[in-house]
mmCIF file of all heavy atoms in Angstrom:
data_model
loop_
_atom_site.group_PDB
_atom_site.id
_atom_site.type_symbol
_atom_site.label_atom_id
_atom_site.label_comp_id
_atom_site.label_asym_id
_atom_site.label_seq_id
_atom_site.Cartn_x
_atom_site.Cartn_y
_atom_site.Cartn_z
ATOM 1 N N VAL B 102 108.607 105.186 76.771
ATOM 2 C CA VAL B 102 108.516 105.262 75.313
ATOM 3 C C VAL B 102 108.089 106.671 74.899
ATOM 4 O O VAL B 102 108.652 107.258 73.969
ATOM 5 C CB VAL B 102 107.506 104.204 74.788
ATOM 6 C CG1 VAL B 102 107.224 104.412 73.308
ATOM 7 C CG2 VAL B 102 108.038 102.804 75.033
ATOM 8 N N GLY B 103 107.104 107.219 75.623
ATOM 9 C CA GLY B 103 106.639 108.571 75.322
ATOM 10 C C GLY B 103 107.765 109.589 75.473
ATOM 11 O O GLY B 103 107.941 110.460 74.616
ATOM 12 N N GLY B 104 108.541 109.450 76.558
ATOM 13 C CA GLY B 104 109.672 110.357 76.784
ATOM 14 C C GLY B 104 110.699 110.237 75.674
ATOM 15 O O GLY B 104 111.209 111.254 75.157
ATOM 16 N N ALA B 105 111.002 108.995 75.272
ATOM 17 C CA ALA B 105 111.993 108.766 74.207
ATOM 18 C C ALA B 105 111.500 109.371 72.895
ATOM 19 O O ALA B 105 112.262 110.039 72.178
ATOM 20 C CB ALA B 105 112.241 107.270 74.045
ATOM 21 N N LEU B 106 110.205 109.179 72.591
ATOM 22 C CA LEU B 106 109.647 109.744 71.348
ATOM 23 C C LEU B 106 109.700 111.270 71.372
ATOM 24 O O LEU B 106 110.017 111.906 70.373
ATOM 25 C CB LEU B 106 108.198 109.278 71.165
ATOM 26 C CG LEU B 106 108.013 107.837 70.682
ATOM 27 C CD1 LEU B 106 106.529 107.484 70.637
ATOM 28 C CD2 LEU B 106 108.640 107.639 69.309
ATOM 29 N N ALA B 107 109.408 111.846 72.558
ATOM 30 C CA ALA B 107 109.454 113.308 72.682
ATOM 31 C C ALA B 107 110.879 113.815 72.449
ATOM 32 O O ALA B 107 111.085 114.821 71.768
ATOM 33 C CB ALA B 107 108.953 113.722 74.058
ATOM 34 N N LEU B 108 111.872 113.082 72.991
ATOM 35 C CA LEU B 108 113.271 113.476 72.793
ATOM 36 C C LEU B 108 113.646 113.438 71.315
ATOM 37 O O LEU B 108 114.286 114.353 70.795
ATOM 38 C CB LEU B 108 114.191 112.537 73.573
ATOM 39 C CG LEU B 108 114.424 112.901 75.041
ATOM 40 C CD1 LEU B 108 115.323 111.860 75.689
ATOM 41 C CD2 LEU B 108 115.073 114.283 75.148
ATOM 42 N N VAL B 109 113.220 112.359 70.625
ATOM 43 C CA VAL B 109 113.509 112.222 69.196
ATOM 44 C C VAL B 109 112.860 113.368 68.432
ATOM 45 O O VAL B 109 113.477 113.979 67.551
ATOM 46 C CB VAL B 109 112.999 110.839 68.675
ATOM 47 C CG1 VAL B 109 113.042 110.803 67.152
ATOM 48 C CG2 VAL B 109 113.826 109.715 69.264
ATOM 49 N N ALA B 110 111.603 113.695 68.795
ATOM 50 C CA ALA B 110 110.886 114.772 68.103
ATOM 51 C C ALA B 110 111.607 116.103 68.298
ATOM 52 O O ALA B 110 111.813 116.858 67.343
ATOM 53 C CB ALA B 110 109.455 114.855 68.625
ATOM 54 N N VAL B 111 112.034 116.375 69.548
ATOM 55 C CA VAL B 111 112.727 117.646 69.834
ATOM 56 C C VAL B 111 114.049 117.706 69.062
ATOM 57 O O VAL B 111 114.386 118.729 68.456
ATOM 58 C CB VAL B 111 112.971 117.786 71.356
ATOM 59 C CG1 VAL B 111 113.950 118.920 71.652
ATOM 60 C CG2 VAL B 111 111.661 118.047 72.077
ATOM 61 N N ALA B 112 114.785 116.563 69.055
ATOM 62 C CA ALA B 112 116.070 116.530 68.349
ATOM 63 C C ALA B 112 115.865 116.765 66.856
ATOM 64 O O ALA B 112 116.623 117.501 66.219
ATOM 65 C CB ALA B 112 116.746 115.178 68.590
ATOM 66 N N THR B 113 114.805 116.152 66.303
ATOM 67 C CA THR B 113 114.539 116.294 64.869
ATOM 68 C C THR B 113 114.205 117.742 64.525
ATOM 69 O O THR B 113 114.734 118.309 63.565
ATOM 70 C CB THR B 113 113.364 115.379 64.454
ATOM 71 O OG1 THR B 113 113.659 114.059 64.886
ATOM 72 C CG2 THR B 113 113.146 115.400 62.956
ATOM 73 N N VAL B 114 113.344 118.349 65.330
ATOM 74 C CA VAL B 114 112.955 119.741 65.065
ATOM 75 C C VAL B 114 114.161 120.670 65.209
ATOM 76 O O VAL B 114 114.396 121.548 64.377
ATOM 77 C CB VAL B 114 111.825 120.158 66.041
ATOM 78 C CG1 VAL B 114 111.567 121.650 65.979
ATOM 79 C CG2 VAL B 114 110.543 119.398 65.708
ATOM 80 N N ALA B 115 114.969 120.417 66.261
ATOM 81 C CA ALA B 115 116.156 121.267 66.481
ATOM 82 C C ALA B 115 117.127 121.151 65.307
ATOM 83 O O ALA B 115 117.699 122.150 64.852
ATOM 84 C CB ALA B 115 116.845 120.855 67.785
ATOM 85 N N ARG B 116 117.273 119.920 64.797
ATOM 86 C CA ARG B 116 118.190 119.729 63.659
ATOM 87 C C ARG B 116 117.662 120.480 62.435
ATOM 88 O O ARG B 116 118.416 121.099 61.699
ATOM 89 C CB ARG B 116 118.333 118.236 63.351
ATOM 90 C CG ARG B 116 119.574 117.916 62.557
ATOM 91 C CD ARG B 116 119.791 116.432 62.451
ATOM 92 N NE ARG B 116 118.659 115.779 61.805
ATOM 93 C CZ ARG B 116 118.621 114.485 61.531
ATOM 94 N NH1 ARG B 116 119.620 113.718 61.893
ATOM 95 N NH2 ARG B 116 117.586 113.953 60.941
ATOM 96 N N GLY B 117 116.334 120.437 62.253
ATOM 97 C CA GLY B 117 115.720 121.151 61.131
ATOM 98 C C GLY B 117 115.965 122.645 61.231
ATOM 99 O O GLY B 117 116.329 123.291 60.251
ATOM 100 N N TRP B 118 115.813 123.189 62.444
ATOM 101 C CA TRP B 118 116.038 124.635 62.647
ATOM 102 C C TRP B 118 117.502 125.000 62.370
ATOM 103 O O TRP B 118 117.789 126.021 61.782
ATOM 104 C CB TRP B 118 115.686 125.016 64.090
ATOM 105 C CG TRP B 118 114.225 125.096 64.343
ATOM 106 C CD1 TRP B 118 113.234 125.138 63.410
ATOM 107 C CD2 TRP B 118 113.587 125.129 65.618
ATOM 108 N NE1 TRP B 118 112.012 125.187 64.014
ATOM 109 C CE2 TRP B 118 112.180 125.190 65.379
ATOM 110 C CE3 TRP B 118 114.031 125.114 66.925
ATOM 111 C CZ2 TRP B 118 111.258 125.235 66.404
ATOM 112 C CZ3 TRP B 118 113.094 125.168 67.945
ATOM 113 C CH2 TRP B 118 111.720 125.218 67.684
ATOM 114 N N ARG B 119 118.399 124.117 62.852
ATOM 115 C CA ARG B 119 119.824 124.410 62.671
ATOM 116 C C ARG B 119 120.186 124.434 61.191
ATOM 117 O O ARG B 119 120.889 125.303 60.711
ATOM 118 C CB ARG B 119 120.658 123.360 63.413
ATOM 119 C CG ARG B 119 122.053 123.852 63.758
ATOM 120 C CD ARG B 119 122.804 122.848 64.572
ATOM 121 N NE ARG B 119 122.894 121.575 63.869
ATOM 122 C CZ ARG B 119 123.349 120.464 64.437
ATOM 123 N NH1 ARG B 119 123.720 120.476 65.684
ATOM 124 N NH2 ARG B 119 123.428 119.357 63.757
ATOM 125 N N ARG B 120 119.622 123.461 60.452
ATOM 126 C CA ARG B 120 119.897 123.400 59.006
ATOM 127 C C ARG B 120 119.348 124.634 58.307
ATOM 128 O O ARG B 120 120.002 125.214 57.452
ATOM 129 C CB ARG B 120 119.256 122.143 58.418
ATOM 130 C CG ARG B 120 120.117 120.929 58.599
ATOM 131 C CD ARG B 120 119.518 119.776 57.832
ATOM 132 N NE ARG B 120 120.238 118.550 58.118
ATOM 133 C CZ ARG B 120 119.784 117.360 57.853
ATOM 134 N NH1 ARG B 120 118.595 117.214 57.311
ATOM 135 N NH2 ARG B 120 120.500 116.297 58.114
ATOM 136 N N ALA B 121 118.139 125.037 58.694
ATOM 137 C CA ALA B 121 117.512 126.208 58.069
ATOM 138 C C ALA B 121 118.349 127.456 58.339
ATOM 139 O O ALA B 121 118.567 128.285 57.452
ATOM 140 C CB ALA B 121 116.103 126.385 58.603
#
Side-chain angles (χ1 to χ4, degrees):
Chain B
V102 171
L106 284 176
L108 275 178
V109 169
V111 167
T113 307
V114 170
R116 200 171 59 177
W118 284 346
R119 203 176 58 189
R120 277 188 187 164

